[in-house]
Amino acid sequence: MTDLLLHTAEELHKLPRTGRRAVVMTMGALHEGHATLIRTAREQAGPEGQVVVTVFVNPLQFGAGEDLDRYPRTLDADLRIAEEAGADAVFAPHVDEVYPGGDPQVRITAGPMGERLEGATRPGHFDGMLTVVAKLLHLTRPDLALFGQKDAQQLALIRRMVTDLNFPVEVVGVPTVREEDGLALSSRNRYLSAAERHTALALSRALFAGRDRLAAQAALRARAEASPASDERASALARLGEIRASADAHAVSAAGAGLPDAVRAAALHILDEAGRHEPPLVLDYLALVDPQDFTETGQDFTGQAVLAVAAKVGSTRMIDNIPLEFGAHS
């Protein structure tokens, strides 16, 4: 296992290159979500390719009062997980290897997208994240870089940086891995007590409620398209005393309106309930956004969106999201 481990840029540059190189960047404390990224990297690089995993707790992306000091560091376990998942090398540099002159004076700036949602809550976080990703891309020189969709805003910003700054790398997003109860896998889950974990399940439940509301509304909309005279039908049914059928017809006729608000409302209902749990969920944001720039969707939005949530349970801050498709036949 120690044969996998590299600590310096010099060791990394001496690593013989075979086929396509895929990199998976992590801050360590690897779990099944990371293992899925590594296995996917192995598949995409192919049997002749090479998979490099980076393990680096980046101080630039932790703000004042955040959990840099207590962030779990489990390198021996990380090496085992990386090897079993198919990694060829693990690059785990020390801070002074990545930032040899101390905090860098020149950094990547995330721009307007980096100031929204996570960026508004954690000023400077995305600048620090993009700076270290840029450095690690230069150091590892991969053909492919794989990132989890759980950090959707991070993934969107990395894609934007790679496009805007002409990095010669393909960025691959890998779907979120969840535990059996729906909780998105995260290194921070280990901080949760049993009671806190129970409350934290509201994040994924809220997202699924929003997804289910969209599916139900989309089914009604399909019926509305097949029955364009549903308003008239509803009025006729009401006159005949068919109140339940009339209500259904009205629902069908209104199905195309306000879909984004309906999705938000369904998710927010679950989160509001969790705010009354003990311990409570303290909501930071619930947002339905365009994944291109992370601005809120309007009521006439069509295409892919991201329903994203962030909240604290106890002292642990958690994020989650799911992709949704808005359109005539969602």
Side-chain angles (χ1 to χ4, degrees):
M1 244 180 344
T2 54
D3 293 342
L4 293 178
L5 184 59
L6 309 172
H7 284 301
T8 69
E10 183 179 3
E11 290 173 326
L12 183 62
H13 291 157
K14 288 180 179 177
L15 183 68
R17 191 174 185 120
T18 59
R20 296 213 304 168
R21 177 178 286 179
V23 65
V24 174
M25 298 183 191
T26 82
M27 291 207 301
L30 301 191
H31 49 63
E32 180 57 27
H34 297 110
T36 298
L37 284 169
I38 298 166
R39 286 193 292 267
T40 305
R42 179 79 274 159
E43 292 169 5
Q44 299 228 353
E48 303 302 320
Q50 190 175 67
V51 175
V52 177
V53 176
T54 69
V55 174
F56 180 65
V57 181
N58 178 33
L60 294 192
Q61 64 195 74
F62 287 80
E66 293 190 337
D67 57 355
L68 173 61
D69 290 338
R70 73 166 184 154
Y71 195 88
R73 291 159 171 84
T74 57
L75 185 57
D76 288 343
D78 295 344
L79 288 168
R80 286 194 296 272
I81 291 171
E83 182 178 41
E84 290 169 2
D88 296 296
V90 174
F91 179 50
H94 300 295
V95 172
D96 57 2
E97 181 72 22
V98 178
Y99 304 120
D103 284 357
Q105 295 184 39
V106 177
R107 307 186 187 199
I108 302 291
T109 299
M113 186 175 14
E115 297 170 357
R116 299 173 187 135
L117 300 186
E118 286 298 290
T121 301
R122 307 174 67 190
H125 166 72
F126 286 126
D127 293 356
M129 179 276 295
L130 289 177
T131 298
V132 80
V133 169
K135 288 178 73 73
L136 289 172
L137 286 175
H138 286 310
L139 289 167
T140 58
R141 295 173 293 178
D143 301 290
L144 306 166
L146 291 87
F147 298 91
Q149 291 177 1
K150 174 178 172 290
D151 296 296
Q153 193 172 2
Q154 169 180 284
L155 175 59
L157 281 162
I158 291 169
R159 282 180 165 146
R160 188 76 205 194
M161 178 184 73
V162 163
T163 298
D164 288 352
L165 301 184
N166 300 103
F167 279 81
V169 63
E170 179 186 349
V171 176
V172 179
V174 178
T176 301
V177 178
R178 298 184 181 277
E179 301 193 37
E180 289 186 6
D181 56 11
L183 190 68
L185 284 173
S186 169
S187 301
R188 290 186 170 94
N189 290 354
R190 68 187 67 197
Y191 299 155
L192 298 170
S193 68
E196 289 169 345
R197 182 187 172 87
H198 179 74
T199 296
L201 293 176
L203 274 74
S204 57
R205 288 178 53 233
L207 298 177
F208 299 155
R211 177 197 61 192
D212 293 346
R213 175 64 62 86
L214 175 60
Q217 293 289 100
L220 283 173
R221 183 168 55 188
R223 289 174 58 192
E225 291 172 350
S227 306
S230 50
D231 271 336
E232 293 86 344
R233 178 173 176 268
S235 298
L237 285 166
R239 287 193 296 272
L240 291 172
E242 296 289 343
I243 303 302
R244 182 173 296 176
S246 171
D248 179 66
H250 275 300
V252 169
S253 68
L259 274 178
D261 275 353
V263 168
R264 292 184 186 97
L268 193 57
H269 176 72
I270 302 296
L271 297 168
D272 284 345
E273 285 187 343
R276 296 186 289 273
H277 290 178
E278 185 54 48
L281 180 143
V282 181
L283 183 64
D284 185 348
Y285 62 76
L286 172 73
L288 183 64
V289 298
D290 183 335
Q292 297 303 310
D293 58 10
F294 270 68
T295 56
E296 285 277 356
T297 60
Q299 289 308 304
D300 58 351
F301 182 84
T302 59
Q304 189 173 86
V306 171
L307 182 60
V309 62
K312 285 189 78 171
V313 181
S315 61
T316 303
R317 189 171 183 277
M318 309 181 72
I319 62 171
D320 200 353
N321 73 85
I322 56 170
L324 297 175
E325 188 76 25
F326 288 80
H329 302 289
S330 297

